[in-house]
Amino acid sequence: MFSTRSLFINFLFFISLNTIRAQQTTIQSINTGWSFFKGDINNSTDLDWQAINIPHSWNTDDTLDETPGYYRGIGWYKKNIYISQNWKDKDIFIFFEGANQETEVYVNGTLVGHHIGGYTAFNFNITAYLQPTNNEILVKVDNAHNEDIPPLSGDFSYYGGIYRDVYLKAVNRTHFKIDKYTSPGVFITTPTVTDEKASVLVKGSISGPTKNIVLQIEILDTEGLLIDEKQSQINKNSAFEVGFKNIESPKLWSPDSPYLYKVVATLIDKTNKTTLDKIVQPLGFRWFNFDAVTGFSLNGKPLKLIGASRHQDYKNMGNALVDALHKNDVELLKDMGGNFIRVAHYPQDPTILETCDRLGILAAVETPGNNRVTETNAFTHNSLEMQKEMIRQGYNHPSVMMWGYMNEVLIHPRYDNDTLEREKYYTFLRELAQKIETLTRQEDPNRYTIIAFHGDYERYKKVGLINIPKIAGWNLYHGWYVGEFSGFGAFMDRFHEDYPNTPTLITEYGAGSDQSLHDFTPNRFDFTEEYNVAYHTAYLRAILDRSYISGGIIWNLVEFNNEYREDVVPHINSKGILTTDRKPKDTYWFYKANLITKPFVKIGAENWTKRSQQANSGSELIATQPVIVFSNSEAVQLFLNGKKIGTETPNLGMATFQVPFKNGQNILRAKGEDTEDFLIIEFQVIPNNLKSKENAFASLNVSLGDQRMYFDAQTKTAWVPEKEYTTGNWGYVGGKVFRTNPSDDRYGSFNNIFGTESNSLYETQRTGITAFKADVPNGVYDITIHLAELLSSDQLKNLIYNLEDGTDKSKSTLAVRDFDILINDQIILKNISNNNYLKPFKAYRLKTRTFVQDNQGITINFNSFKGESILNAIQIEKVF
C-alpha cells in the first residue's frame, strides 16, 4: 500500500478535539470492481472486458506455461468512481503504487497524465476532470519492451498490469505539496544522533493559499506521547524547515530494538482552528557507517549485515500481491535472524519498507538499471527520474541505509569487443552512472550509494565504475557458475588489496536448489539441497572471516519467476532459500541456526518424507543415511524410534548423524537446549537380494544418468540413482551418462522438458544402454519406461549429417536414433525414433505389464539399429 495509507486512521488518533471543525484529508482504496481488457481497445472491435480486482497482472499464467514467451503489450482497465458531495471543495488525486511499465490515465475520456516506469508510485490531480457524481476512470498500461525505459533485460519476468494498490485522496485546497514524484509531503532527517541526544530537521512545502495558516510539527514517542512540538506561521513562501536540536536520551533504532517515533505535521487554519492537512511519518534515531577496513557499524557498534535480496512475485500470482504477502516475506527474513534486505532489482510495495522500519531490518533500495543501457537522452532522463522517485518516496524510512542503481550493468554491453563503438558505449555508461550518483547525493547526502557489480572484475575496473559509488557491491557465484568455493575469498581479497579505501558488500551469492533432489556427495549444478547448504556454508564462513566485508546478501530470499529460465524447475530461478510459495529450504534453517539467539533445533530435509535406498552391505533391512540437524545449541541429541543415535556438537549450526533407517516408518527426534523437533520418514529399503524372504520386493524407481535421489511430493514416489547391474540385484548394462557438453563434468540437460511436472527426472539419461535388469521374484509387474530426447533440433541435424556422410543433407526425415525395446525377449516398442515418439525435450512415457515366471527376473533390452538407445528413468512395481 501507499506509504501514507494510514494517514486517515492515524490522523483520527492524533488530532486534538478542539481542531476538529471540518472533514479532514481522506484517502481510500479503489481496488475493487474494475474491468480489464487484454489488448488495445483502439484496435479491437470485440471488447470482451473481464471483471477483476486490483492488484492484477495479465502475466500470472503465461510466464509459467509451456508456450515460449509471454505477453508484453497493452492492457486496459476501467472503473466507475462516485464522488461524494463532501469532496466538492477538495482537490482530488488518484494514486497508483505501481503499474508496469508505461501508464496513461483518462478521466471521462480525457487524458490526465502519463507515467513511465513500472516500480515506483505516481499520482495525478484529477479535480478538473471530474463530474459531480459518476466518473469513468480508464487506464492504459503497456509492458512492451522499450529501449528508452529501464530495465532493458534481467533475470526476472516483467509482469504487466496495475499490480499494486490504487487510491483516491481528497485534500483541502491548502495541503502539504503532493509533488509529481509522489513523496509523502515532508522530508525528515536526523542531522546528529548520539546516545545522549539527537536533532531532527523536517522540510517540506505547501500547496494552496497560505494566509492565516499555522504549521505544527510534533514528535511523538511510540506510545503517542508528545516529546516536542513547534508551531510557526506560514508566510508567502510555501517551503518550510523546522528543526529540533535537543531530543534528550533518544531511544535508538536497531535490529534488536527498532524503536519508532512519529513525526506529525499539521496545517491549521488559524482563524477557525480547522485542521486542513495532517501527515504522520516514521522517525528512527540511528547513525551508521561503512568502513573499508572494519565493515559496517550501527549506533557505534560493529554489525555484520546478513540478509537476502527479494523479488516481489509469488506462486501462481505473478507480482500482483496483497500487502499481507509482502509483509510476510519480511517477517520470514526477521524470523530467520536476518538483519538486512536488498530490495531488488527495483523499488517494491511500500509495505516492504514499512515492515522493515517496524521489525528493524536494514534496507537497500535500487532502481531497475539492469545489464545494459541505451545511449539516448530519453533513457538518461528516465533513469534519473526513476532514481528521484525512489529516493523521495522512501526518504523517511529509518530502515533505508543506501540507494542503488545499475545492477550488473556490464554483463551484456553493446557492440563488439575492442571496437570504437564499444569504447563510446563505456564512456556514455560511465557518464550516466556519474549523473545518477550526483543526483542521488544531492537528493539524499546522508545515505550511502551502491552499484552491484558482477564478477568481471577487470571490465569494471577498466570502465571506471568501481570509483563512482560510495560502496562497491559484488554479485559473486564461485562454486556455482564458475570455479570453486575458494575463488570467492580470493576474488574479494584481491579487490580489497586494489581498493583499500572502498567499503564493500556482497550483494549477491547463491546456488539453485530443488527440495526434491538430494545427494550426499553433491556436485556443482546438481540443484540438490545438500550442495546448496555446502555452498552457503563456504560463503558465510568466508564473509564472517573478513572484517572488511560489510555483509553478505543472499540471492535470493524467495524463488522467483523468469519465463525464459530453463532449469530443474522450469521458469523459476531456484536460488531462493524459500520456495515460490514460501516453504523454507535447508539453507533457511542453516542461517537461522547461525543467526538467532533463541534456542533452535531443526531436522534437515523435512520435506523428504519418503525415501528409498539400497540396503547396507550384509543387511536386507537397514539402510544408513546421514541426517543433518540445524541448531544453535552447544550439543544436539538425535533419537530414532525412541533409541538414542548419538550426541554431536554443531559446527557452524550443523550436526551430522549417521542414521540406520529401517524398512517402514521411522521417527526422528532431535533435542537441543530447551527445544526439540520431530520428523516422520517412510523408508523403503531395497534388498541386496531382490528375492529376499525377509524384505520382499515391492517396487523400484530409478533415475538413469543420475547420481541424485529424487522425491516426487505429488505422487509420494521415492526415486534412487542408477547403478550398474550385479547378479541377484538390479541395474543398467552398458552405455554412458548423458552430458550436454561432453567436456563438462555436469551431467544431464538444462532445458525445460515439456509434458511433465517431473522435469529433473527427464533431464538425465543413459545413452547407448543395452539393457536394464532386475532379478525380481516371480509375479506380475507393471513396468514404466520414461524417455526424452535431450538433443535440440539443430544438434540432431548435425548428428544426422555426421551419420549420413555423403547423403543428401537437405533431407530432414533421417533419424539420429532408432531402437527396439524388449522385455524378456518380447518386443514392447519397435523402431522408436526421432521420426515418431522421440521429440526434442518432450517427455514420453510407456507403461506395460509383464508376467515373470521360472525365476527369469526382468530383462529390458534396448536393441539399437541406428545411433544410441536412451533411457531416462524406469519403474518396476509388483502388482501381485
Side-chain angles (χ1 to χ4, degrees):
M1 291 175 63
F2 184 67
S3 60
T4 58
R5 76 182 64 155
S6 59
L7 177 102
F8 187 52
I9 296 172
N10 286 335
F11 123 97
L12 286 176
F13 281 102
F14 297 121
I15 192 167
S16 60
L17 291 177
N18 68 334
T19 62
I20 300 180
R21 299 285 182 87
Q23 184 182 1
Q24 313 303 320
T25 298
T26 304
I27 185 168
Q28 60 179 232
S29 66
I30 52 170
N31 288 342
T32 57
W34 287 79
S35 298
F36 169 71
F37 177 76
K38 185 178 177 181
D40 192 349
I41 61 175
N42 297 317
N43 299 324
S44 303
T45 55
D46 183 18
L47 298 182
D48 183 17
W49 291 90
Q50 172 190 358
I52 59 97
N53 292 323
I54 305 297
H56 173 264
S57 172
W58 58 69
N59 294 124
T60 54
D61 297 325
D62 63 359
T63 52
L64 293 168
D65 61 23
E66 292 193 342
T67 302
Y70 63 105
Y71 180 72
R72 295 193 67 179
I74 294 171
W76 286 85
Y77 296 83
K78 68 177 180 179
K79 175 184 174 62
N80 285 352
I81 61 171
Y82 302 90
I83 303 302
S84 168
Q85 286 298 311
N86 294 336
W87 290 7
K88 65 180 181 179
D89 295 323
K90 305 241 182 215
D91 281 349
I92 300 171
F93 291 80
I94 187 167
F95 280 78
F96 294 81
E97 288 185 348
N100 200 25
Q101 67 178 353
E102 286 189 84
T103 307
E104 294 177 1
V105 179
Y106 298 81
V107 176
N108 296 321
T110 302
L111 177 67
V112 300
H114 173 231
H115 181 259
I116 291 176
Y119 303 101
T120 46
F122 56 97
N123 71 84
F124 304 114
N125 188 334
I126 61 174
T127 311
Y129 307 94
L130 293 172
Q131 298 171 356
T133 53
N134 187 19
N135 297 268
E136 183 187 64
I137 305 294
L138 193 62
V139 183
K140 176 185 176 183
V141 184
D142 188 350
N143 72 330
H145 178 81
N146 187 322
E147 281 290 308
D148 286 329
I149 302 176
L152 301 179
S153 67
D155 187 11
F156 55 97
S157 294
Y158 307 106
Y159 297 100
I162 306 176
Y163 68 96
R164 296 182 193 159
D165 296 324
V166 184
Y167 290 88
L168 290 179
K169 182 175 182 179
V171 298
N172 288 302
R173 299 298 188 201
T174 299
H175 56 268
F176 291 103
K177 187 176 182 180
I178 304 170
D179 63 20
K180 71 172 185 176
Y181 300 105
T182 317
S183 69
V186 296
F187 299 91
I188 304 166
T189 56
T190 53
T192 59
V193 180
T194 67
D195 290 315
E196 291 77 28
K197 64 180 180 179
S199 63
V200 179
L201 182 63
V202 182
K203 296 181 179 181
S205 58
I206 299 168
S207 294
T210 58
K211 184 179 180 180
N212 296 320
I213 300 300
V214 173
L215 170 67
Q216 177 179 282
I217 305 292
E218 300 169 289
I219 298 178
L220 310 177
D221 68 10
T222 194
E223 303 297 330
L225 298 177
L226 183 65
I227 300 299
D228 202 351
E229 69 173 325
K230 287 190 176 182
Q231 289 189 355
S232 59
Q233 177 77 41
I234 298 297
N235 54 32
K236 293 182 179 180
N237 183 2
S238 63
F240 62 84
E241 288 189 15
V242 178
F244 298 82
K245 293 184 178 180
N246 292 300
I247 305 296
E248 300 293 336
S249 302
K251 295 182 179 179
L252 301 180
W253 184 94
S254 70
D256 292 334
S257 180
Y259 193 92
L260 287 177
Y261 293 82
K262 299 178 183 67
V263 171
V264 184
T266 308
L267 295 178
I268 302 170
D269 186 332
K270 187 171 64 172
T271 60
N272 56 20
K273 295 188 178 180
T274 299
T275 295
L276 300 176
D277 199 4
K278 185 182 287 282
I279 292 175
V280 182
Q281 288 289 291
L283 169 63
F285 292 113
R286 78 283 185 271
W287 77 96
F288 54 94
N289 182 58
F290 286 88
D291 186 87
V293 176
T294 59
F296 179 75
S297 63
L298 179 67
N299 301 330
K301 300 176 183 177
L303 177 66
K304 186 72 82 171
L305 300 174
I306 302 293
S309 297
R310 188 245 186 195
H311 269 292
Q312 64 184 3
D313 51 314
Y314 198 97
K315 185 176 182 179
N316 298 325
M317 298 176 68
N319 61 354
L321 277 60
V322 296
D323 291 341
L325 293 176
H326 294 292
K327 181 179 70 172
N328 289 347
D329 280 357
V330 184
E331 290 175 342
L332 281 164
L333 178 61
K334 181 71 175 183
D335 188 61
M336 184 190 79
N339 58 23
F340 193 92
I341 189 169
R342 179 183 175 216
V343 183
H345 292 302
Y346 39 78
Q348 296 179 15
D349 191 284
T351 302
I352 294 294
L353 293 183
E354 290 177 359
T355 310
C356 288
D357 292 344
R358 178 172 56 85
L359 296 181
I361 301 292
L362 290 80
V365 192
E366 65 193 53
T367 44
N370 300 59
N371 295 6
R372 69 193 325 187
V373 301
T374 302
E375 301 152 279
T376 63
N377 291 333
F379 187 91
T380 297
H381 173 78
N382 291 332
S383 299
L384 294 171
E385 289 294 282
M386 288 180 188
Q387 193 79 3
K388 192 177 292 185
E389 285 180 326
M390 173 185 70
I391 295 169
R392 294 195 181 185
Q393 291 170 23
Y395 193 92
N396 292 337
H397 290 286
S399 55
V400 176
M401 301 287 112
M402 65 190 80
W403 304 113
Y405 56 95
M406 285 190 172
N407 177 75
E408 296 184 351
V409 73
L410 291 178
I411 201 168
H412 294 309
R414 297 181 187 273
Y415 312 112
D416 294 332
N417 285 326
D418 302 321
T419 62
L420 181 60
E421 289 82 4
R422 172 67 70 83
E423 293 306 312
K424 288 181 178 179
Y425 174 79
Y426 284 157
T427 299
F428 178 89
L429 190 153
R430 182 175 57 252
E431 291 175 350
L432 176 57
Q434 189 60 66
K435 289 177 183 177
I436 298 175
E437 179 73 17
T438 300
L439 170 72
T440 305
R441 297 191 188 201
Q442 290 171 346
E443 287 284 320
D444 188 354
N446 301 303
R447 289 185 171 97
Y448 284 82
T449 57
I450 188 169
I451 298 178
F453 311 119
H454 75 288
D456 195 343
Y457 181 75
E458 291 300 333
R459 179 174 292 176
Y460 285 101
K461 189 175 180 180
K462 171 188 174 183
V463 175
L465 290 184
I466 298 175
N467 299 313
I468 293 177
K470 296 179 181 179
I471 300 172
W474 288 105
N475 301 347
L476 299 178
Y477 292 93
H478 297 87
W480 187 244
Y481 292 125
V482 295
E484 305 293 334
F485 297 151
S486 58
F488 167 70
F491 182 101
M492 290 308 302
D493 290 343
R494 179 190 176 192
F495 162 77
H496 184 53
E497 183 177 353
D498 289 350
Y499 294 87
N501 299 316
T502 302
T504 189
L505 181 68
I506 308 305
T507 37
E508 289 184 23
Y509 67 99
S513 69
D514 183 346
Q515 287 183 310
S516 67
L517 294 172
H518 298 275
D519 188 352
F520 301 126
T521 56
N523 294 289
R524 183 169 70 96
F525 255 87
D526 66 6
F527 289 89
T528 62
E529 285 263 68
E530 289 73 22
Y531 188 84
N532 202 17
V533 170
Y535 177 99
H536 282 273
T537 300
Y539 271 68
L540 181 62
R541 182 175 283 117
I543 290 167
L544 295 177
D545 285 346
R546 290 165 170 82
S547 62
Y548 68 84
I549 297 178
S550 296
I553 312 305
I554 304 161
W555 187 259
N556 196 277
L557 179 64
V558 295
E559 297 179 336
F560 59 93
N561 176 269
N562 178 359
E563 202 278 342
Y564 298 103
R565 252 195 183 263
E566 299 187 353
D567 275 340
V568 167
V569 182
H571 315 299
I572 298 296
N573 186 318
S574 61
K575 295 185 186 70
I577 57 176
L578 301 167
T579 63
T580 55
D581 53 352
R582 279 45 177 182
K583 292 184 177 67
K585 299 182 183 180
D586 275 1
T587 41
Y588 179 89
W589 304 125
F590 164 73
Y591 281 101
K592 186 166 184 174
N594 281 282
L595 298 178
I596 70 168
T597 56
K598 181 181 177 181
F600 169 73
V601 66
K602 186 70 177 180
I603 300 172
E606 64 172 337
N607 296 289
W608 193 14
T609 54
K610 187 171 183 179
R611 308 183 186 186
S612 183
Q613 185 174 293
Q614 198 75 21
N616 295 345
S617 178
S619 171
E620 299 294 347
L621 299 175
I622 301 297
T624 300
Q625 279 189 357
V627 170
I628 295 178
V629 177
F630 301 99
S631 180
N632 56 7
S633 299
E634 290 186 3
V636 175
Q637 300 177 73
L638 186 67
F639 300 82
L640 175 65
N641 300 320
K643 182 179 178 181
K644 185 176 179 180
I645 299 296
T647 302
E648 297 289 342
T649 300
N651 179 16
L652 207 62
M654 296 178 290
T656 303
F657 299 84
Q658 297 298 323
V659 178
F661 288 100
K662 69 173 186 177
N663 207 36
Q665 187 182 84
N666 295 261
I667 302 175
L668 290 174
R669 172 182 170 234
K671 188 176 185 303
E673 298 170 12
D674 301 321
T675 184
E676 59 184 6
D677 187 38
F678 293 86
L679 182 63
I680 299 175
I681 297 172
E682 189 70 26
F683 208 103
Q684 179 194 20
V685 178
I686 303 172
N688 292 310
N689 176 6
L690 295 188
K691 296 175 182 176
S692 169
K693 299 295 184 181
E694 58 180 336
N695 183 5
F697 179 86
S699 65
L700 179 66
N701 305 285
V702 182
S703 178
L704 276 295
D706 203 346
Q707 68 181 50
R708 303 166 299 181
M709 292 160 280
Y710 169 62
F711 174 54
D712 187 332
Q714 185 176 39
T715 63
K716 306 300 181 186
T717 304
W719 295 77
V720 295
E722 67 172 16
K723 74 177 189 68
E724 193 169 10
Y725 170 73
T726 55
T727 302
N729 209 256
W730 61 271
Y732 64 82
V733 177
K736 61 182 181 295
V737 172
F738 172 84
R739 300 182 193 279
T740 301
N741 183 353
S743 63
D744 197 335
D745 60 352
R746 295 180 292 179
Y747 54 83
S749 170
F750 299 98
N751 294 91
N752 294 346
I753 308 299
F754 299 108
T756 180
E757 295 296 319
S758 301
N759 215 59
S760 60
L761 199 64
Y762 288 92
E763 283 185 330
T764 63
Q765 68 182 196
R766 178 158 285 269
T767 62
I769 186 172
T770 58
F772 186 93
K773 301 186 69 173
D775 294 340
V776 297
N778 295 336
V780 176
Y781 292 84
D782 281 340
I783 300 174
T784 305
I785 295 171
H786 301 265
L787 304 170
E789 179 58 72
L790 299 182
L791 297 178
S792 68
S793 297
D794 288 341
Q795 289 172 314
L796 290 172
K797 285 182 179 180
N798 289 334
L799 281 176
I800 290 169
Y801 297 159
N802 292 334
L803 291 169
E804 300 292 329
D805 190 30
T807 64
D808 182 359
K809 292 178 172 53
S810 66
K811 295 179 180 180
S812 59
T813 58
L814 297 172
V816 170
R817 57 182 101 256
D818 186 347
F819 59 95
D820 293 344
I821 300 177
L822 300 84
I823 298 179
N824 291 345
D825 297 325
Q826 179 182 353
I827 293 179
I828 301 302
L829 189 60
K830 187 170 181 60
N831 294 116
I832 183 168
S833 76
N834 309 107
N835 286 335
N836 45 55
Y837 298 116
L838 297 180
K839 306 300 181 184
F841 312 117
K842 188 171 183 179
Y844 180 76
R845 181 174 177 267
L846 169 67
K847 183 179 179 181
T848 188
R849 181 166 287 190
T850 191
F851 177 35
V852 175
Q853 53 187 337
D854 301 326
N855 292 319
Q856 65 181 330
I858 294 174
T859 299
I860 305 169
N861 289 110
F862 300 84
N863 295 345
S864 179
F865 306 105
K866 190 173 190 178
E868 293 184 315
S869 57
I870 59 173
L871 179 61
N872 295 68
I874 191 165
Q875 295 175 273
I876 301 173
E877 182 175 8
K878 188 171 185 181
V879 182
F880 59 90

